[in-house]
Amino acid sequence: MKIMPNRMDRGFFKYQEEFESKAVEVLQSGWYVLGKEVSAFEEEFSEYTGSKYCVGLASGLDALWIAFRLLNIGKGDEVIVQGNTYIASVMGITINGATPVFVEPDEHFGMDSDKIEEKITGKTKAILVTHLYGMASRMDKIVEICRKYNLRLVEDCAQSHGACFNGKMTGTFGDVGCFSFYPSKNLGAFGDAGAVVVNDERLAKDFRIFRNYGSEKRYYNKVVGANSRLDELQAGLLRVRLSHMKEITDEKVKIAERYAREIKNKKIQLPTLLEGATCVWHQYVIRCEERDRLIDYLSEKEIGTIIHYPIPPHLAEAYQYLGHKEGFLPITEHLAKTVLSIPMYNGMTEEEQDYVIDSLNEFK
Ligand SMILES: *Cc1c(COP(=O)(O)O)cnc(C)c1O
């Protein structure tokens, strides 16, 4: 049996008729950018997350960098971010000229809230939290630290659509919740797409203006903005997916529960959740000291896996200018050498799950 790390086609076929009829509807409408599908999606997604406003954007990276731009965070400012995040989180900071200050993760892949305060300086302006792999981070503590030091809080929710901490949805704890709808994300479009959720009306308006060349009224440009609009077609297709979000999430939770119950191998460490946190299992990430040998073993059995991520941002070539060397973040660096995402996707059959579980249990 051949198993790929992800099967986005299955997520399409499950709701094929709905996707196809929505696509045709938008194509026939004659209106393709910033129309009624975008407005409707923004309304439905803000309701879904429990925030007041949603603004659709072109990607998750845009959501991040525009967020910092609109919060006036740039050159000379520092933003605290976890070392083990996807590089886009860090780019959201550095595109604006601000400096990322890295913090090590805790046992659950989230920012270690006990290690934040020691990193705060007079230049610290914000904390950027990534709810990595779909797990909510320790938001009670992080919110408390932001209040104590008067810091802005931005959440990278590109992997955590629907994940909650103490019953409150990720993306709604701070100033801006940044979402990506890249096709492989839990709420995936069929191309690039993103959004922010905010509670502040003014900030919501600033995002609307910025995404459209800095104009509120056509050809009257208030600020130097960007072209970062969510397409009508993607918004329409996202509305279809969003209407099934509970089912999509529950299915992944079920697979994760099976994995947790049935994968039993001393060489493999399974992911665990923080108290109060839920996980939507964007990825199911195991750890193994002999990770690279495990990859070879699985690939011989035609089970595809991915490393999220093999090179932590502080060691990426792009960030050599920050001057961090190997050994700077030992926990993050060790994770990069031991984590492995095993197949986890909507539409994964029981036989496929069995095969993954049995194969992992037989690894010696
Ligand atoms: C996917 C992702 C992004 C970037 O989103 P794009 O839509 O690809 O720009 C940012 N942060 C994290 C954690 C991601 O997983």
Side-chain angles (χ1 to χ4, degrees), residues 58-64 84-90 128-133 156-161 178-185 191-195 282-283 308-309:
S59 73
L61 175 62
D62 281 4
L64 289 158
N84 65 324
T85 186
Y86 180 51
I87 201 155
S89 317
V90 184
L128 172 60
V129 173
T130 303
H131 304 289
L132 200 70
Y133 309 143
D156 184 338
C157 307
Q159 305 188 358
S160 71
H161 318 75
C178 302
F179 288 85
S180 165
F181 309 120
Y182 182 77
S184 66
K185 311 292 188 186
D192 281 304
H282 172 59
Q283 302 294 347
H308 294 101
Y309 299 90

Tab-separated table of all heavy atoms in Angstrom, residues 58-64 84-90 128-133 156-161 178-185 191-195 282-283 308-309, ligand 1:
chain	number	residue	atom	x	y	z
A	58	ALA	N	-4.417	37.961	0.652
A	58	ALA	CA	-3.939	37.051	-0.389
A	58	ALA	C	-3.192	35.829	0.147
A	58	ALA	O	-3.088	34.816	-0.546
A	58	ALA	CB	-3.051	37.813	-1.376
A	59	SER	N	-2.634	35.914	1.363
A	59	SER	CA	-1.892	34.765	1.906
A	59	SER	C	-1.702	34.922	3.407
A	59	SER	O	-1.951	36.003	3.968
A	59	SER	CB	-0.512	34.661	1.236
A	59	SER	OG	0.346	35.679	1.716
A	60	GLY	N	-1.187	33.866	4.017
A	60	GLY	CA	-0.876	33.901	5.442
A	60	GLY	C	0.320	34.803	5.731
A	60	GLY	O	0.345	35.509	6.742
A	61	LEU	N	1.307	34.768	4.858
A	61	LEU	CA	2.468	35.649	5.056
A	61	LEU	C	2.035	37.114	5.011
A	61	LEU	O	2.466	37.917	5.835
A	61	LEU	CB	3.553	35.382	4.001
A	61	LEU	CG	4.750	36.344	4.073
A	61	LEU	CD1	5.478	36.237	5.409
A	61	LEU	CD2	5.729	36.086	2.928
A	62	ASP	N	1.161	37.454	4.063
A	62	ASP	CA	0.654	38.830	4.006
A	62	ASP	C	-0.053	39.197	5.308
A	62	ASP	O	0.109	40.303	5.820
A	62	ASP	CB	-0.321	39.012	2.834
A	62	ASP	CG	0.399	39.177	1.495
A	62	ASP	OD1	1.643	39.070	1.468
A	62	ASP	OD2	-0.284	39.413	0.487
A	63	ALA	N	-0.852	38.290	5.833
A	63	ALA	CA	-1.553	38.556	7.092
A	63	ALA	C	-0.540	38.938	8.175
A	63	ALA	O	-0.737	39.901	8.920
A	63	ALA	CB	-2.360	37.331	7.520
A	64	LEU	N	0.572	38.208	8.230
A	64	LEU	CA	1.585	38.448	9.256
A	64	LEU	C	2.311	39.780	9.060
A	64	LEU	O	2.392	40.590	9.971
A	64	LEU	CB	2.595	37.288	9.265
A	64	LEU	CG	2.059	35.964	9.819
A	64	LEU	CD1	2.894	34.789	9.316
A	64	LEU	CD2	2.036	35.983	11.341
A	84	ASN	N	10.969	27.299	16.940
A	84	ASN	CA	10.530	26.159	16.118
A	84	ASN	C	9.265	26.482	15.349
A	84	ASN	O	8.286	25.748	15.419
A	84	ASN	CB	10.266	24.953	17.028
A	84	ASN	CG	9.113	25.199	17.973
A	84	ASN	OD1	8.928	26.319	18.445
A	84	ASN	ND2	8.332	24.177	18.248
A	85	THR	N	9.284	27.588	14.615
A	85	THR	CA	8.095	27.901	13.818
A	85	THR	C	8.438	27.800	12.341
A	85	THR	O	9.608	27.623	11.963
A	85	THR	CB	7.545	29.289	14.150
A	85	THR	OG1	6.308	29.493	13.455
A	85	THR	CG2	8.520	30.393	13.771
A	86	TYR	N	7.410	27.900	11.501
A	86	TYR	CA	7.658	27.965	10.062
A	86	TYR	C	8.268	29.327	9.758
A	86	TYR	O	7.933	30.326	10.390
A	86	TYR	CB	6.330	27.771	9.306
A	86	TYR	CG	6.479	27.827	7.812
A	86	TYR	CD1	7.441	27.051	7.176
A	86	TYR	CD2	5.679	28.648	7.038
A	86	TYR	CE1	7.594	27.106	5.798
A	86	TYR	CE2	5.821	28.693	5.662
A	86	TYR	CZ	6.781	27.931	5.044
A	86	TYR	OH	6.931	27.988	3.695
A	87	ILE	N	9.132	29.365	8.781
A	87	ILE	CA	9.912	30.576	8.525
A	87	ILE	C	9.050	31.790	8.179
A	87	ILE	O	9.447	32.937	8.405
A	87	ILE	CB	10.993	30.303	7.443
A	87	ILE	CG1	12.104	31.360	7.544
A	87	ILE	CG2	10.362	30.238	6.053
A	87	ILE	CD1	13.431	30.901	7.016
A	88	ALA	N	7.838	31.554	7.672
A	88	ALA	CA	6.954	32.684	7.331
A	88	ALA	C	6.656	33.547	8.554
A	88	ALA	O	6.525	34.771	8.427
A	88	ALA	CB	5.652	32.174	6.719
A	89	SER	N	6.538	32.932	9.726
A	89	SER	CA	6.277	33.717	10.944
A	89	SER	C	7.378	34.758	11.111
A	89	SER	O	7.121	35.923	11.396
A	89	SER	CB	6.275	32.839	12.198
A	89	SER	OG	5.602	31.637	12.017
A	90	VAL	N	8.613	34.309	10.933
A	90	VAL	CA	9.773	35.185	11.147
A	90	VAL	C	9.841	36.243	10.040
A	90	VAL	O	10.137	37.410	10.288
A	90	VAL	CB	11.064	34.343	11.216
A	90	VAL	CG1	12.257	35.231	11.523
A	90	VAL	CG2	10.923	33.252	12.273
A	128	LEU	N	4.838	37.134	19.028
A	128	LEU	CA	4.159	36.396	17.959
A	128	LEU	C	4.130	34.925	18.360
A	128	LEU	O	5.176	34.295	18.511
A	128	LEU	CB	4.902	36.557	16.626
A	128	LEU	CG	4.402	35.675	15.471
A	128	LEU	CD1	2.953	35.950	15.137
A	128	LEU	CD2	5.268	35.877	14.227
A	129	VAL	N	2.933	34.408	18.546
A	129	VAL	CA	2.761	33.007	18.957
A	129	VAL	C	2.313	32.187	17.755
A	129	VAL	O	1.380	32.581	17.059
A	129	VAL	CB	1.656	32.906	20.031
A	129	VAL	CG1	1.345	31.457	20.342
A	129	VAL	CG2	2.073	33.622	21.287
A	130	THR	N	2.959	31.048	17.527
A	130	THR	CA	2.480	30.132	16.484
A	130	THR	C	1.845	28.918	17.154
A	130	THR	O	2.488	28.252	17.969
A	130	THR	CB	3.640	29.648	15.593
A	130	THR	OG1	4.300	30.776	15.028
A	130	THR	CG2	3.127	28.754	14.471
A	131	HIS	N	0.610	28.646	16.787
A	131	HIS	CA	-0.051	27.448	17.313
A	131	HIS	C	0.327	26.305	16.381
A	131	HIS	O	-0.440	25.905	15.497
A	131	HIS	CB	-1.556	27.667	17.379
A	131	HIS	CG	-1.936	28.878	18.185
A	131	HIS	ND1	-1.801	28.912	19.554
A	131	HIS	CD2	-2.399	30.094	17.816
A	131	HIS	CE1	-2.190	30.101	19.997
A	131	HIS	NE2	-2.553	30.833	18.959
A	132	LEU	N	1.544	25.824	16.594
A	132	LEU	CA	2.163	24.914	15.635
A	132	LEU	C	1.475	23.548	15.575
A	132	LEU	O	1.084	23.005	16.606
A	132	LEU	CB	3.639	24.744	16.013
A	132	LEU	CG	4.558	24.227	14.909
A	132	LEU	CD1	4.748	25.267	13.816
A	132	LEU	CD2	5.910	23.836	15.488
A	133	TYR	N	1.374	23.022	14.379
A	133	TYR	CA	0.795	21.697	14.092
A	133	TYR	C	-0.696	21.620	14.437
A	133	TYR	O	-1.297	20.552	14.378
A	133	TYR	CB	1.538	20.579	14.842
A	133	TYR	CG	3.035	20.587	14.692
A	133	TYR	CD1	3.863	20.240	15.756
A	133	TYR	CD2	3.632	20.941	13.478
A	133	TYR	CE1	5.248	20.237	15.620
A	133	TYR	CE2	5.011	20.948	13.337
A	133	TYR	CZ	5.817	20.593	14.402
A	133	TYR	OH	7.171	20.596	14.273
A	156	ASP	N	-0.082	33.503	15.025
A	156	ASP	CA	0.037	32.838	13.727
A	156	ASP	C	-0.817	31.575	13.796
A	156	ASP	O	-0.430	30.571	14.400
A	156	ASP	CB	1.506	32.505	13.439
A	156	ASP	CG	1.693	31.893	12.052
A	156	ASP	OD1	0.706	31.353	11.512
A	156	ASP	OD2	2.818	31.924	11.532
A	157	CYS	N	-1.992	31.653	13.187
A	157	CYS	CA	-2.968	30.555	13.244
A	157	CYS	C	-3.030	29.803	11.918
A	157	CYS	O	-4.049	29.169	11.608
A	157	CYS	CB	-4.349	31.100	13.565
A	157	CYS	SG	-4.376	32.119	15.039
A	158	ALA	N	-1.960	29.873	11.147
A	158	ALA	CA	-1.948	29.238	9.826
A	158	ALA	C	-2.195	27.733	9.920
A	158	ALA	O	-2.618	27.103	8.951
A	158	ALA	CB	-0.616	29.508	9.134
A	159	GLN	N	-1.929	27.157	11.113
A	159	GLN	CA	-2.108	25.710	11.279
A	159	GLN	C	-3.191	25.374	12.296
A	159	GLN	O	-3.371	24.205	12.620
A	159	GLN	CB	-0.763	25.086	11.712
A	159	GLN	CG	0.371	25.409	10.745
A	159	GLN	CD	1.655	24.658	11.049
A	159	GLN	OE1	1.731	23.901	12.010
A	159	GLN	NE2	2.673	24.865	10.230
A	160	SER	N	-3.889	26.364	12.818
A	160	SER	CA	-4.726	26.086	14.002
A	160	SER	C	-6.196	26.485	13.866
A	160	SER	O	-6.833	26.778	14.879
A	160	SER	CB	-4.122	26.794	15.216
A	160	SER	OG	-4.280	28.196	15.128
A	161	HIS	N	-6.735	26.459	12.651
A	161	HIS	CA	-8.147	26.816	12.463
A	161	HIS	C	-9.032	25.968	13.361
A	161	HIS	O	-9.138	24.760	13.160
A	161	HIS	CB	-8.595	26.593	11.016
A	161	HIS	CG	-7.586	27.040	9.999
A	161	HIS	ND1	-6.441	26.330	9.720
A	161	HIS	CD2	-7.553	28.131	9.208
A	161	HIS	CE1	-5.749	26.969	8.800
A	161	HIS	NE2	-6.393	28.063	8.471
A	178	CYS	N	-3.690	35.761	12.612
A	178	CYS	CA	-3.311	35.657	11.194
A	178	CYS	C	-3.549	34.233	10.697
A	178	CYS	O	-3.047	33.275	11.284
A	178	CYS	CB	-1.831	36.000	11.029
A	178	CYS	SG	-1.432	37.656	11.623
A	179	PHE	N	-4.291	34.127	9.624
A	179	PHE	CA	-4.631	32.806	9.079
A	179	PHE	C	-4.132	32.635	7.648
A	179	PHE	O	-4.135	33.584	6.870
A	179	PHE	CB	-6.157	32.606	9.084
A	179	PHE	CG	-6.728	32.403	10.455
A	179	PHE	CD1	-7.048	33.499	11.251
A	179	PHE	CD2	-6.927	31.132	10.961
A	179	PHE	CE1	-7.566	33.321	12.532
A	179	PHE	CE2	-7.449	30.933	12.235
A	179	PHE	CZ	-7.766	32.031	13.026
A	180	SER	N	-3.732	31.414	7.343
A	180	SER	CA	-3.420	31.041	5.964
A	180	SER	C	-4.457	30.011	5.532
A	180	SER	O	-4.886	29.179	6.338
A	180	SER	CB	-2.036	30.394	5.889
A	180	SER	OG	-1.876	29.723	4.642
A	181	PHE	N	-4.857	30.084	4.269
A	181	PHE	CA	-5.740	29.058	3.708
A	181	PHE	C	-5.056	28.370	2.534
A	181	PHE	O	-5.694	27.949	1.570
A	181	PHE	CB	-7.077	29.676	3.260
A	181	PHE	CG	-7.742	30.515	4.331
A	181	PHE	CD1	-8.008	31.853	4.107
A	181	PHE	CD2	-8.081	29.964	5.563
A	181	PHE	CE1	-8.614	32.643	5.086
A	181	PHE	CE2	-8.678	30.743	6.556
A	181	PHE	CZ	-8.946	32.090	6.309
A	182	TYR	N	-3.742	28.282	2.622
A	182	TYR	CA	-2.949	27.514	1.655
A	182	TYR	C	-3.608	26.123	1.538
A	182	TYR	O	-4.139	25.614	2.526
A	182	TYR	CB	-1.517	27.435	2.211
A	182	TYR	CG	-0.525	26.736	1.339
A	182	TYR	CD1	0.005	27.369	0.214
A	182	TYR	CD2	-0.114	25.438	1.639
A	182	TYR	CE1	0.924	26.716	-0.589
A	182	TYR	CE2	0.805	24.785	0.833
A	182	TYR	CZ	1.319	25.423	-0.281
A	182	TYR	OH	2.218	24.776	-1.079
A	183	PRO	N	-3.578	25.512	0.351
A	183	PRO	CA	-4.371	24.286	0.154
A	183	PRO	C	-4.177	23.177	1.198
A	183	PRO	O	-5.129	22.456	1.507
A	183	PRO	CB	-3.922	23.813	-1.236
A	183	PRO	CG	-3.526	25.066	-1.938
A	183	PRO	CD	-2.943	25.970	-0.892
A	184	SER	N	-2.985	23.039	1.745
A	184	SER	CA	-2.766	21.936	2.688
A	184	SER	C	-3.226	22.245	4.108
A	184	SER	O	-3.228	21.368	4.967
A	184	SER	CB	-1.285	21.559	2.716
A	184	SER	OG	-0.538	22.632	3.252
A	185	LYS	N	-3.622	23.481	4.389
A	185	LYS	CA	-4.045	23.815	5.753
A	185	LYS	C	-5.411	23.196	6.052
A	185	LYS	O	-6.130	22.804	5.134
A	185	LYS	CB	-4.130	25.336	5.924
A	185	LYS	CG	-2.931	26.114	5.439
A	185	LYS	CD	-1.672	25.912	6.252
A	185	LYS	CE	-0.608	26.895	5.767
A	185	LYS	NZ	0.705	26.702	6.370
A	191	GLY	N	-5.585	27.357	-3.894
A	191	GLY	CA	-4.553	28.289	-4.311
A	191	GLY	C	-4.196	29.075	-3.071
A	191	GLY	O	-4.551	28.667	-1.959
A	192	ASP	N	-3.517	30.199	-3.229
A	192	ASP	CA	-3.143	30.990	-2.058
A	192	ASP	C	-4.309	31.826	-1.549
A	192	ASP	O	-5.081	32.375	-2.332
A	192	ASP	CB	-1.972	31.922	-2.406
A	192	ASP	CG	-0.640	31.186	-2.404
A	192	ASP	OD1	-0.321	30.579	-1.360
A	192	ASP	OD2	0.066	31.214	-3.423
A	193	ALA	N	-4.393	31.924	-0.239
A	193	ALA	CA	-5.414	32.764	0.394
A	193	ALA	C	-5.067	32.913	1.873
A	193	ALA	O	-4.393	32.066	2.448
A	193	ALA	CB	-6.806	32.143	0.243
A	194	GLY	N	-5.539	33.991	2.459
A	194	GLY	CA	-5.288	34.227	3.886
A	194	GLY	C	-6.296	35.209	4.446
A	194	GLY	O	-7.167	35.700	3.715
A	195	ALA	N	-6.176	35.508	5.750
A	195	ALA	CA	-7.082	36.465	6.389
A	195	ALA	C	-6.535	36.839	7.760
A	195	ALA	O	-5.683	36.141	8.306
A	195	ALA	CB	-8.485	35.872	6.552
A	282	HIS	N	-3.302	19.714	12.391
A	282	HIS	CA	-2.814	20.081	11.062
A	282	HIS	C	-1.747	19.065	10.651
A	282	HIS	O	-1.715	18.607	9.507
A	282	HIS	CB	-2.254	21.502	11.075
A	282	HIS	CG	-1.566	21.864	9.807
A	282	HIS	ND1	-2.210	21.850	8.597
A	282	HIS	CD2	-0.285	22.194	9.540
A	282	HIS	CE1	-1.348	22.180	7.643
A	282	HIS	NE2	-0.177	22.379	8.188
A	283	GLN	N	-0.883	18.735	11.609
A	283	GLN	CA	0.077	17.642	11.408
A	283	GLN	C	0.033	16.742	12.638
A	283	GLN	O	-0.275	17.209	13.728
A	283	GLN	CB	1.515	18.177	11.265
A	283	GLN	CG	1.717	19.152	10.138
A	283	GLN	CD	1.519	18.526	8.763
A	283	GLN	OE1	1.466	17.302	8.614
A	283	GLN	NE2	1.382	19.375	7.763
A	308	HIS	N	8.679	18.738	9.534
A	308	HIS	CA	8.265	20.141	9.754
A	308	HIS	C	8.967	20.679	10.997
A	308	HIS	O	8.489	20.470	12.081
A	308	HIS	CB	6.755	20.238	9.955
A	308	HIS	CG	5.949	19.870	8.759
A	308	HIS	ND1	5.330	18.654	8.619
A	308	HIS	CD2	5.682	20.566	7.631
A	308	HIS	CE1	4.683	18.620	7.454
A	308	HIS	NE2	4.889	19.759	6.839
A	309	TYR	N	10.153	21.295	10.930
A	309	TYR	CA	10.862	21.680	9.723
A	309	TYR	C	12.310	21.300	9.904
A	309	TYR	O	12.812	21.366	11.029
A	309	TYR	CB	10.704	23.193	9.524
A	309	TYR	CG	9.227	23.547	9.358
A	309	TYR	CD1	8.449	23.862	10.470
A	309	TYR	CD2	8.614	23.486	8.117
A	309	TYR	CE1	7.097	24.151	10.330
A	309	TYR	CE2	7.266	23.777	7.972
A	309	TYR	CZ	6.519	24.098	9.083
A	309	TYR	OH	5.176	24.353	8.945
B	1	LIG	C1	1.543	28.145	6.021
B	1	LIG	C2	2.080	28.977	7.105
B	1	LIG	C3	2.304	30.363	6.956
B	1	LIG	C4	2.228	31.060	5.649
B	1	LIG	O1	1.037	31.010	4.992
B	1	LIG	P1	0.994	31.238	3.390
B	1	LIG	O2	-0.455	31.324	3.116
B	1	LIG	O3	1.673	30.085	2.760
B	1	LIG	O4	1.698	32.544	3.111
B	1	LIG	C5	2.684	31.079	8.070
B	1	LIG	N1	2.912	30.480	9.247
B	1	LIG	C6	2.729	29.175	9.429
B	1	LIG	C7	2.950	28.593	10.789
B	1	LIG	C8	2.333	28.366	8.367
B	1	LIG	O5	2.174	27.049	8.559
